[in-house]
């Protein structure tokens, strides 16, 4: 049920195109963004896992292309995310909270109050000059990386949290370029009515439930990072409306909820490498409970304490997580390097062949002509 909800219940298309990509993002509700580019940027990988070798330029166009053709926007949902445009009205309550200094990182909330004038002055500069990135400001003296932000970057990010700015495009180094929403997002989206917070939160929980198929209350909240007080009433409302059905799952400590449209396919024939930020596995306790698969991303772990490698992608075969591969795209050598492969106890005998097939498909998708370099054994 969970795999079908996540798009793994159907065969990959022979020639995935724009319509397939858009249906996938609509089904998932978002693609998480992350700056790590060991294999590929995180937002590209969930669609590959479900569709195979699609054209990444299609996603770039929908996310950062011309205003008329834009279909996605960036905002804080499940961390930094690319989202379908129809979710913009459902997240305006979060923008309003950030504007009041009630949401977003605490270090940025000063710009909602005591230092608001500085933020508004920077906003007016973008209004007058057009789209700008943090590096376009002489005052930007931040260090490389997302978390070593200059004061200019902090102001820009608060303006982004509060909905005063959105992402116009991304530069080659993945730097966010900011602009006014009215110059980036389609007018029809900006003109759409803003629902009351409770109604918006109810709609977000419904989207979470549809994407997960079956989930606990905590997992429904986690999908769009809702707090318990923001989600509790929404879940109760959806149960009363029949959108969610309470369920007991054998072996689960907490009760679950099933979306009324959830389906159980006769079988799942998936063969997919999963990004560390894929919504199927990003909630690690859920991954362990459903698949008996303990998974932690190595990039946040000191080298001496890593058990499987630095950038490890779990491998889904059928309805099981059967192994994992530590990968790196060596773009200079044109090669997908496989540092290590580990299979789970009891993995079926066809697991290695299936994984090698998927690694070769990933190498082709990434334009690594020499194909994967496989470890021996």
């Amino acid at each position: 049920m969970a795999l079908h909800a996540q798009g793994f219940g159907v065969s990959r298309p022979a020639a995935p195109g724009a319509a397939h990509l858009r249906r996938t993002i609509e089904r998932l509700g978002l693609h998480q963004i992350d700056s790590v580019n060991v294999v590929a940027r995180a937002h590209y990988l969930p669609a590959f896992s479900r569709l195979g070798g699609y054209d990444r330029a299609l996603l770039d166009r929908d996310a950062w292309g011309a205003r008329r053709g834009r279909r996605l926007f960036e905002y804080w949902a499940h961390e930094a995310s690319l989202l379908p445009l129809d979710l913009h009205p459902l997240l305006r309550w979060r923008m309003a909270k950030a504007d009041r200094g009630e949401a977003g990182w605490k270090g940025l909330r000063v710009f909602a109050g005591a230092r608001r004038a500085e933020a508004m002055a920077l906003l007016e500069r973008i209004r007058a000059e057009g789209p700008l990135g943090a590096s376009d400001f002489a005052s930007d003296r931040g260090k490389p990386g997302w978390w070593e932000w200059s004061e200019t970057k902090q102001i820009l990010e608060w303006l982004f949290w509060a909905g005063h700015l959105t992402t116009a495009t991304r530069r080659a180094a993945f730097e966010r370029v900011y602009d006014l929403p009215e110059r980036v997002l389609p007018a029809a989206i900006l003109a759409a009515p803003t629902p009351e917070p409770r109604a918006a939160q109810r709609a977000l929980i419904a989207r979470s439930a549809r994407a997960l198929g079956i989930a606990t209350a905590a997992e429904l909240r986690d999908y769009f990072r809702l707090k318990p007080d923001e989600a509790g009433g929404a879940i109760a409302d959806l149960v009363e409306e029949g959108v969610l059905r309470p369920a007991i799952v054998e072996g689960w400590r907490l009760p679950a909820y099933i979306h009324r449209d959830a389906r159980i396919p006769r079988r799942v024939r998936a063969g997919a490498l999963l990004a560390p930020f894929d919504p199927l596995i990003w909630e690690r306790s859920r991954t362990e409970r459903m698949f008996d698969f303990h998974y932690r991303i190595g990039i946040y772990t000191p080298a001496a304490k890593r058990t499987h490698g630095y950038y490890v992608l779990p491998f889904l075969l059928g309805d099981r997580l059967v192994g994992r591969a530590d990968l790196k795209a060596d773009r200079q050598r044109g090669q997908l390097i496989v540092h290590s492969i580990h299979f789970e106890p009891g993995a079926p005998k066809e697991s290695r062949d299936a994984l090698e097939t998927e690694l070769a498909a990933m190498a082709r998708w990434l334009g690594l002509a020499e194909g994967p370099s496989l470890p021996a054994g």
Side-chain angles (χ1 to χ4, degrees):
M1 187 181 293
L3 289 167
H4 184 269
Q6 282 280 302
F8 290 108
V10 296
S11 300
R12 287 175 171 173
H20 298 103
L21 175 63
R22 290 164 186 166
R23 283 196 295 270
T24 296
I25 296 179
E26 172 65 23
R27 177 190 286 270
L28 299 182
L30 57 85
H31 276 200
Q32 187 174 332
I33 298 170
D34 190 84
S35 62
V36 175
N37 194 21
V38 177
V39 174
R41 300 282 185 196
H43 56 281
Y44 294 121
L45 286 164
F48 172 76
S49 299
R50 290 153 180 82
L51 300 175
Y54 75 100
D55 184 356
R56 284 171 287 170
L58 296 173
L59 192 150
D60 291 342
R61 185 182 66 194
D62 282 0
W64 301 296
R67 182 186 185 196
R68 179 177 296 179
R70 192 168 294 218
R71 294 173 178 268
L72 303 171
F73 74 104
E74 287 189 34
Y75 192 60
W76 291 97
H78 185 94
E79 304 299 335
S81 303
L82 280 171
L83 304 114
L85 284 171
D86 65 337
L87 289 182
H88 189 275
L90 302 183
L91 290 164
R92 290 176 190 159
W93 61 273
R94 182 172 286 169
M95 298 175 191
K97 286 186 69 173
D99 189 56
R100 297 191 300 267
E102 299 170 1
W105 294 314
K106 291 183 178 179
L108 303 183
R109 297 183 188 186
V110 64
F111 300 110
R115 299 182 62 183
R116 189 180 186 93
E118 296 174 57
M120 292 300 105
L122 192 151
L123 178 64
E124 288 306 310
R125 179 172 169 184
I126 290 177
R127 189 185 308 278
E129 298 182 18
L132 296 170
S135 64
D136 294 318
F137 292 83
S139 58
D140 183 65
R141 293 292 182 270
K143 300 176 183 178
W146 276 27
W147 314 119
E148 300 290 346
W149 287 349
S150 66
E151 284 203 347
T152 299
K153 176 65 173 175
Q154 291 177 42
I155 293 173
L156 289 167
E157 281 299 310
W158 176 78
L159 290 166
F160 179 84
W161 264 105
H164 297 296
L165 293 176
T166 190
T167 305
T169 189
R170 291 276 186 167
R171 290 176 176 157
F174 209 57
E175 180 188 12
R176 178 181 280 154
V177 178
Y178 304 83
D179 201 359
L180 306 179
E182 55 265 35
R183 295 199 295 232
V184 174
L185 304 179
I189 293 299
L190 297 175
T194 301
E196 292 296 317
R198 175 79 171 246
Q201 291 154 7
R202 187 164 56 245
L204 290 171
I205 289 291
R207 294 289 285 263
S208 303
R210 192 181 69 180
L212 292 170
I214 182 167
T216 65
E219 291 157 4
L220 293 175
R221 294 196 308 266
D222 177 70
Y223 209 85
F224 288 100
R225 291 290 200 251
L226 299 179
K227 296 178 180 178
D229 63 312
E230 296 166 346
I235 292 172
D237 290 348
L238 292 169
V239 169
E240 185 175 348
E241 295 169 11
V243 176
L244 296 181
R245 294 186 289 122
I248 300 297
V249 181
E250 184 178 353
W252 288 24
R253 183 174 58 87
L254 297 172
Y257 299 89
I258 298 173
H259 192 276
R260 65 184 173 191
D261 295 334
R263 297 289 182 268
I264 303 178
R266 185 167 298 176
R267 62 178 300 184
V268 173
R269 296 181 174 86
L273 286 158
L274 302 173
F277 308 106
D278 191 290
L280 179 65
I281 59 168
W282 65 28
E283 215 293 317
R284 307 304 191 208
S285 61
R286 172 182 168 88
T287 301
E288 191 160 359
R289 192 173 66 249
M290 288 206 313
F291 296 103
D292 191 25
F293 188 89
H294 181 79
Y295 177 57
R296 298 293 184 270
I297 182 170
I299 60 176
Y300 303 128
T301 305
K305 295 184 178 181
R306 292 178 197 143
T307 55
H308 296 101
Y310 180 72
Y311 198 77
V312 177
L313 279 68
F315 181 57
L316 174 70
L317 182 62
D319 60 0
R320 296 173 58 188
L321 291 176
V322 300
R324 60 196 92 200
D326 182 20
L327 305 180
K328 176 180 173 58
D330 188 331
R331 296 170 182 88
Q332 289 187 335
R333 294 166 56 192
Q335 193 171 45
L336 180 63
I337 297 174
V338 184
H339 292 298
S340 66
I341 291 175
H342 296 87
F343 290 105
E344 294 294 285
K349 60 182 180 180
E350 65 269 22
S351 297
R352 185 176 180 88
D353 288 346
L355 176 55
E356 291 185 4
T357 298
E358 187 65 7
L359 287 168
M362 175 175 277
R364 290 193 299 272
W365 174 62
L366 294 173
L368 303 177
E370 294 185 23
S373 173
L374 297 174

